[in-house]
């Protein structure tokens, strides 16, 4: 069956450090992969999209990599801030978006 | 644009009652999605529409769930009769395929509690 795995344990890091979140998938051949941010009590908000023929995408302090051989995406937040604390979801798409369970990031001041 | 608008934001009902959740997508978006989110199962796709037509309802849990999209600016998700295991946050999202990518804009969600 198709699976998207994100680390269910919360990631705690110190302000200013780089946060790295992982998304692994099996039995998928996604056309592209997306990352969303979700704050408590709110809907997910789109952050970045990377296509299957792209290796890396950047947006301000965010960087996403996509390795279709390893079936893995890494999501990096550089110079992290307490305001970056949230749950981050990866999502894969062929016909409709399927989401991972998300990883909660806590940035300590 | 005010974004995707969902109502009600919170609903508490008793088992066996009918529940109707409402969604107004972003104007001009041609896809509409209903998701359900729980701690145990995460964010699950229930059904999605393209140009008001249901395309895939394989995620709808059972016959107690139904969804309609009578026009481009309105959709409903109905649960009848409701059960405690239906308690969850239900999200509506919309997207435009004009860019070739399925980037979703989510509403704030409807938190349903069935007692």
């Amino acid at each position: 069956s198709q699976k998207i795995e994100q680390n269910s344990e919360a990631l705690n890091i110190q302000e200013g450090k780089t946060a790295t979140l992982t998304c692994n998938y099996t039995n998928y051949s996604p056309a592209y992969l997306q990352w969303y941010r979700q704050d408590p009590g709110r809907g997910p908000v789109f952050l970045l999209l990377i296509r299957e023929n792209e290796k890396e995408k950047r947006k301000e302090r965010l960087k996403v990599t996509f390795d279709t051989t390893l079936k893995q995406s890494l999501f990096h937040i550089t110079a992290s801030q307490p305001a970056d604390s949230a749950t981050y979801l990866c999502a894969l798409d062929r016909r409709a978006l399927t989401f991972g369970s998300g990883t909660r990031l806590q940035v300590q001041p | 644009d005010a974004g995707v608008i969902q109502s009600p934001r919170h609903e508490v009902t008793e088992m066996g009652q009918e529940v109707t959740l409402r969604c107004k997508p972003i104007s001009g978006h041609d896809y509409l999605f209903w998701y359900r989110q729980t701690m145990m199962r995460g964010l699950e796709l229930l059904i999605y529409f393209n140009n008001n037509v249901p395309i895939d309802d394989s995620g709808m849990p059972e016959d107690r769930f139904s969804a309609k999209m009578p026009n481009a600016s309105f959709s409903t998700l109905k649960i009848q009769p409701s059960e405690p295991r239906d308690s969850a946050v239900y999200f509506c999202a919309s997207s435009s395929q004009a860019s070739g990518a399925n980037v979703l804009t989510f509403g704030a969600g409807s938190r349903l509690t069935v007692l």
Side-chain angles (χ1 to χ4, degrees), chain B residues 19 40 93:
Chain B
V19 174
M40 289 297 295

Side-chain angles (χ1 to χ4, degrees), chain A residues 36-52:
Chain A
Y36 287 73
R37 168 183 171 141
Q38 186 173 22
D39 291 284
R42 296 177 179 247
V45 175
F46 170 74
L47 295 174
L48 274 171
L49 175 151
I50 186 165
R51 300 181 189 276
E52 61 182 336

Side-chain angles (χ1 to χ4, degrees), chain A residues 32 34 36 38 43-44 93 97, chain B residues 35 37 91 101-104 106:
Chain A
Y32 42 87
Q34 301 182 33
Y36 287 73
Q38 186 173 22
D93 182 31
L97 275 186
Chain B
Y35 284 85
Q37 188 173 42
F91 287 103
N102 198 18
V103 173
L104 300 188
F106 281 83

Side-chain angles (χ1 to χ4, degrees), chain B residues 65-83:
Chain B
F65 285 69
S66 63
K68 292 182 180 179
M69 192 165 185
N71 57 62
S73 59
F74 184 65
S75 176
T76 59
L77 178 68
K78 190 172 291 188
I79 308 172
Q80 166 65 18
S82 58
E83 296 182 4

Side-chain angles (χ1 to χ4, degrees), chain A residues 10-90:
Chain A
L11 178 63
N12 290 289
I13 64 168
Q14 209 66 27
E15 182 176 6
K17 302 292 186 185
T18 296
T20 299
L21 286 71
T22 304
C23 176
N24 295 298
Y25 60 93
T26 57
N27 298 330
Y28 265 104
S29 295
Y32 42 87
L33 185 147
Q34 301 182 33
W35 284 89
Y36 287 73
R37 168 183 171 141
Q38 186 173 22
D39 291 284
R42 296 177 179 247
V45 175
F46 170 74
L47 295 174
L48 274 171
L49 175 151
I50 186 165
R51 300 181 189 276
E52 61 182 336
N53 61 349
E54 297 175 315
K55 297 292 184 189
E56 182 179 298
K57 202 76 164 287
R58 291 175 185 261
K59 178 183 175 183
E60 299 171 354
R61 294 185 296 111
L62 309 181
K63 184 179 86 171
V64 172
T65 63
F66 192 13
D67 189 326
T68 55
T69 301
L70 289 179
K71 295 187 183 294
Q72 180 181 78
S73 174
L74 299 179
F75 176 79
H76 307 272
I77 306 175
T78 58
S80 60
Q81 304 166 1
D84 295 326
S85 299
T87 296
Y88 292 86
L89 303 156
C90 71

Side-chain angles (χ1 to χ4, degrees), chain B residues 17-79:
Chain B
Q17 296 298 306
E18 178 179 293
V19 174
T20 299
L21 308 178
R22 298 172 178 79
C23 175
K24 176 177 167 51
I26 289 176
S27 176
H29 280 190
D30 51 353
Y31 279 79
L32 183 138
F33 304 79
W34 282 100
Y35 284 85
R36 175 172 71 175
Q37 188 173 42
T38 61
M39 288 292 293
M40 289 297 295
R41 301 176 67 90
L43 200 56
E44 302 174 279
L45 177 66
L46 300 177
I47 184 171
Y48 75 96
F49 296 82
N50 177 217
N51 292 322
N52 314 338
V53 176
I55 301 300
D56 185 350
D57 66 354
S58 60
M60 296 285 262
E62 47 197 271
D63 291 346
R64 297 185 297 106
F65 285 69
S66 63
K68 292 182 180 179
M69 192 165 185
N71 57 62
S73 59
F74 184 65
S75 176
T76 59
L77 178 68
K78 190 172 291 188
I79 308 172

